[in-house]
Amino acid sequence: MGNVFGGGKQSLYLSNSGTEVFIDVLMLAVSDLASDEWDYRFAALLTLQDQNVMGRGAVGFELQDIAWGTTPRERAEAKGFVLRATALALSRHRWCELGYDPPFAQNYLCQFKAMVESFVPTDGAHLAGGFPTPEERAMASCSQHRILSALPHWNGCFRCTRPRQP
């Protein structure tokens, strides 16, 4: 069982372990770049991909289900943020903090980057939900790991919710 991240006619299918790696490295970058409401909403979407909380094989999202903004400028800024965060993650930003070597992460990020680059966001007026609202944005940062989290709903960031290895 795995998870799918889609955008337009492209998709990124990842195993459960691959999903964990992909979200881990992307979340480190997003946590350091987020600066406005939309960025924190995107961070909240990523926190919902934590399989240790949501269940294995039960995560993923479609780019067309994201509320990118109502104006061309807002959509361009939101897409720009996702591309900047992906580029920062591709630079191996903070990977030394993971406690493991993610050998396939760059490939996942490159595929995601290509998917986002080719995706043309719409105004999202037709969206039924799924993308966190401004009230649900990930404004809390785990004090131990400096990673945005769904606090106070969960007890910590993705590193805090990860089962401890014996």
Side-chain angles (χ1 to χ4, degrees):
M1 182 177 259
N3 306 286
V4 179
F5 300 88
K9 296 181 181 182
Q10 298 182 46
S11 62
L12 174 62
Y13 176 83
L14 298 173
S15 67
N16 289 325
S17 296
T19 299
E20 191 171 280
V21 168
F22 171 64
I23 296 301
D24 286 0
V25 298
L26 191 54
M27 197 63 205
L28 290 170
V30 166
S31 292
D32 285 356
L33 288 181
S35 65
D36 69 24
E37 182 179 282
W38 192 93
D39 304 348
Y40 290 105
R41 291 175 68 193
F42 184 74
L45 177 66
L46 293 182
T47 67
L48 295 173
Q49 311 313 306
D50 186 342
Q51 297 176 99
N52 293 308
V53 176
M54 303 302 287
R56 300 197 62 76
V59 300
F61 57 81
E62 296 285 331
L63 295 178
Q64 56 266 25
D65 294 337
I66 293 175
W68 293 94
T70 56
T71 67
R73 180 180 177 168
E74 288 175 344
R75 292 190 293 273
E77 288 174 359
K79 183 175 176 177
F81 172 76
V82 174
L83 291 172
R84 283 190 313 281
T86 305
L88 184 59
L90 274 164
S91 75
R92 303 179 64 87
H93 178 72
R94 295 178 60 186
W95 288 15
C96 61
E97 298 174 28
L98 292 172
Y100 65 89
D101 178 39
F104 304 109
Q106 293 209 268
N107 182 41
Y108 305 152
L109 291 165
C110 285
Q111 290 180 59
F112 183 69
K113 179 181 176 222
M115 185 170 54
V116 173
E117 285 174 336
S118 67
F119 181 75
V120 179
T122 61
D123 70 6
H126 66 283
L127 298 177
F131 189 64
T133 66
E135 294 76 28
E136 298 170 320
R137 65 192 186 274
M139 288 293 296
S141 181
C142 170
S143 61
Q144 182 179 1
H145 300 112
R146 300 175 349 270
I147 299 169
L148 291 171
S149 66
L151 293 170
H153 305 292
W154 298 346
N155 294 327
C157 68
F158 72 82
R159 292 193 56 207
C160 293
T161 62
R162 181 119 339 118
R164 302 247 189 267
Q165 299 298 324

